[in-house]
Amino acid sequence: MSELTIVQITDTHLRPEGELLHGVDTAANLTAVLDRLREFGQRVDVLIFSGDLSDNGSPEAYRRLRAAVEPVAAELGAEIVYAMGNHDERTAFGIELLGRDTVDPDRPHDQCVEIAGVRIIVLDSTTPFQHDGKLEPAQLAWLADELRTPAPHGTVLVVHHPPLRSPLATLDFLRLKDAEQLAEVVAGTDVRMILCGHNHLTGASALAGIPVWIGPATAYRLDAMAPAGRHRGFAGFGYSRIDIMASTVLATAIDAAPAPTVYDRPEAEMLEQIAAIVAARAAVR
């Protein structure tokens, strides 16, 4: 049913081997997600990594990421798209993940690729040494120019910082600033969804009538209803499945933390059972 299936993995916060983040083995979390993708056994067209891929911008962390991700992408036949986050470092990111020989640290890593008729545009919303987000006028002008020509199946925009206000003080402070400028550019275009990370929680909203999806982090989760005056993170991680269909886009958050199985039955058997129930109800009417 899906014209394009995207897996969004965000906020992996990888560190050099042997280092933990708040006591969390973020590399193990990423491995668990990739193992789930291997088990999926169905088509995945694109793997989008939407920022904060390294926790401290170290080249070693990016090399660990590539070593883990590229074999799985090859098995799935999926393209890989990398986006910058505020914990990433532009020079190491450009060399290790984008394969660039030289990198201008003052130039954002914006990208545009088309896969199966869907255009994926990545905007680098980072400012070196800052944790909130910002898009420069030149980036918005470039985006507007790209969007003047519609893609066959529309556009997915990837930006690490959500262009949204938040009821959580810390997230509101660290959001994408001047989001109304982005809204002016994307309004009325073929952008079908905006994918974000950064917040370490799952959320959904809209910008200029376009759905905005904040994917669950792979490193750890933020407590969206912590006690008053507290900022709290806890163990847990996940990823997102984005299905682009003819008339809609569907985002699904997937919990990847270990959990007991409630049931595991053949899909054909479930469909047969549902069909029987529907037929029985129709006969009664």
Side-chain angles (χ1 to χ4, degrees), residues 40-173:
F40 180 56
Q42 300 179 53
R43 191 188 81 217
V44 174
D45 298 288
V46 193
L47 300 179
I48 293 179
F49 290 82
S50 53
D52 281 1
L53 308 184
S54 167
D55 185 59
N56 57 6
S58 71
E60 181 184 348
Y62 295 127
R63 289 194 286 268
R64 292 185 78 192
L65 180 68
R66 286 188 58 188
V69 168
E70 290 183 351
V72 177
E75 288 181 31
L76 298 171
E79 301 283 343
I80 305 173
V81 175
Y82 294 116
M84 278 277 295
N86 50 287
H87 279 262
D88 292 307
E89 196 279 321
R90 278 184 181 161
T91 299
F93 185 99
I95 292 172
E96 300 295 342
L97 296 185
L98 303 182
R100 296 176 180 170
D101 295 328
T102 59
V103 175
D104 180 352
D106 294 323
R107 184 173 181 177
H109 290 306
D110 299 331
Q111 305 168 60
C112 180
V113 298
E114 186 174 311
I115 300 170
V118 175
R119 177 171 51 195
I120 299 173
I121 295 179
V122 175
L123 290 176
D124 180 349
S125 57
T126 69
T127 302
F129 311 112
Q130 302 294 325
H131 286 293
D132 57 349
K134 181 177 176 57
L135 296 173
E136 300 296 335
Q139 293 179 274
L140 294 169
W142 173 78
L143 175 64
D145 186 60
E146 291 291 330
L147 294 177
R148 284 192 181 94
T149 303
H153 298 302
T155 296
V156 172
L157 182 62
V158 183
V159 56
H160 180 68
H161 296 83
L164 308 167
R165 299 300 304 264
S166 175
L168 305 183
T170 51
L171 300 185
D172 195 56
F173 182 76

